[in-house]
């Protein structure tokens, strides 16, 4: 059986970068494997910190529920990449990068 991969295209301003994703990885894991870090907190779809807009394609949450999305965000095409897996090739807004750590005195 041939392994299926999906293309994740990140759109930011007028720049587009593509990465490959395997079905077993959620979108954040796929991006991390490519060296791209994404701001996250809970890793289970509850906090909404990784909120990202889906421009094209289909994702699947499997048995997980994206509690961190409200109805308006869903209608506007937002997803939670911490629990989302690609069903097709997708194009998304570049997810937020982690905030720099603050030095404490």
């Amino acid at each position: 059986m041939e392994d299926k991969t999906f293309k994740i295209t990140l759109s930011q301003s007028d720049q587009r970068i593509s990465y490959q994703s395997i079905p077993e990885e959620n979108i954040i894991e796929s991006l991390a494997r490519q060296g791209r870090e994404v701001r996250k907190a809970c890793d289970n779809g509850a906090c909404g910190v990784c909120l990202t807009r889906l421009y094209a394609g289909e994702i699947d949450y499997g048995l997980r529920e994206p509690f961190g999305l409200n109805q308006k965000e869903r209608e506007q095409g937002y997803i939670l990449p911490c629990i989302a897996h690609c069903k097709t090739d997708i194009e998304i807004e570049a997810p937020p990068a982690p905030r720099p750590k603050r030095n404490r005195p």
Side-chain angles (χ1 to χ4, degrees):
M1 184 171 163
E2 197 173 306
D3 288 334
K4 174 72 176 159
T5 62
F6 299 104
K7 181 170 68 168
I8 298 174
T9 301
L10 301 180
S11 293
Q12 188 171 19
S13 301
D14 59 351
Q15 185 179 14
R16 297 172 82 180
I17 302 167
S18 295
Y19 300 101
Q20 290 301 121
S21 177
I22 58 175
E24 296 80 24
E25 295 176 318
N26 65 45
I27 295 169
I28 284 182
E29 291 168 337
S30 295
L31 297 176
R33 188 171 42 83
Q34 300 296 327
R36 178 137 189 145
E37 291 186 57
V38 175
R39 186 180 322 153
K40 60 183 181 157
C42 70
D43 288 325
N44 65 15
C47 72
V49 169
C50 63
L51 186 71
T52 302
R53 185 169 283 187
L54 175 69
Y55 294 124
E58 294 181 45
I59 56 101
D60 182 26
Y61 292 116
L63 299 175
R64 314 285 299 272
E65 185 64 34
F67 292 113
L69 281 178
N70 64 40
Q71 188 59 38
K72 184 175 181 177
E73 291 165 337
R74 290 175 197 234
E75 291 169 1
Q76 293 174 341
Y78 285 95
I79 64 168
L80 296 177
C82 67
I83 60 170
H85 294 254
C86 296
K87 283 180 71 174
T88 65
D89 292 347
I90 64 170
E91 181 176 347
I92 59 175
E93 175 180 53
R99 291 190 175 136
K101 295 194 189 256
R102 295 183 351 198
N103 293 333
R104 297 185 182 201

